[in-house]
Amino acid sequence: MKKQTDTQRCWLQSVPKFIGLLAGWGLTGFGLILFITPLPGGLLMMLTGAMILCCKSPSLRAAILRRLAIFPGLHSRLKTLLNACDRCVQTRSRTT
């Protein structure tokens, strides 16, 4: 199996912020509509949209981490996931 490089893992950082926010909010909105209907896939769309939003908006990511601090177990599990985009940017800035 081929090993991924940092640039392959960080493709979302190369998308312009406006397009990423628009896609994130769009996926979250359509996912919510599908979630309340009997059609499948709404939860997956909402989670994908939330991940894009967290990756493109540092203020939203910080707000989520502040809210998660109330729940230590969940905070420790999700902290690495929510900080993945920060690590991505740091790795990219070191290589360029």
Side-chain angles (χ1 to χ4, degrees):
M1 205 156 114
K2 188 177 174 184
K3 190 173 182 178
Q4 290 182 335
T5 63
D6 288 331
T7 55
Q8 288 172 331
R9 276 186 241 140
C10 300
W11 66 270
L12 188 56
Q13 288 294 330
S14 63
V15 175
K17 186 174 183 175
F18 175 74
I19 293 173
L21 291 174
L22 187 65
W25 283 115
L27 282 170
T28 304
F30 288 129
L32 181 64
I33 292 169
L34 285 179
F35 186 70
I36 59 176
T37 64
L39 298 173
L43 184 62
L44 182 63
M45 286 177 72
M46 285 190 320
L47 291 175
T48 304
M51 190 61 204
I52 291 172
L53 286 172
C54 285
C55 197
K56 288 311 223 179
S57 175
S59 58
L60 178 65
R61 188 170 49 249
I64 290 172
L65 284 172
R66 279 195 309 272
R67 293 280 184 194
L68 281 176
I70 299 169
F71 308 102
L74 189 60
H75 183 263
S76 64
R77 289 181 186 158
L78 294 178
K79 188 174 183 177
T80 54
L81 179 67
L82 292 172
N83 288 333
C85 289
D86 288 337
R87 241 189 325 268
C88 234
V89 171
Q90 290 169 1
T91 305
R92 186 171 279 184
S93 65
R94 270 188 259 139
T95 58
T96 56

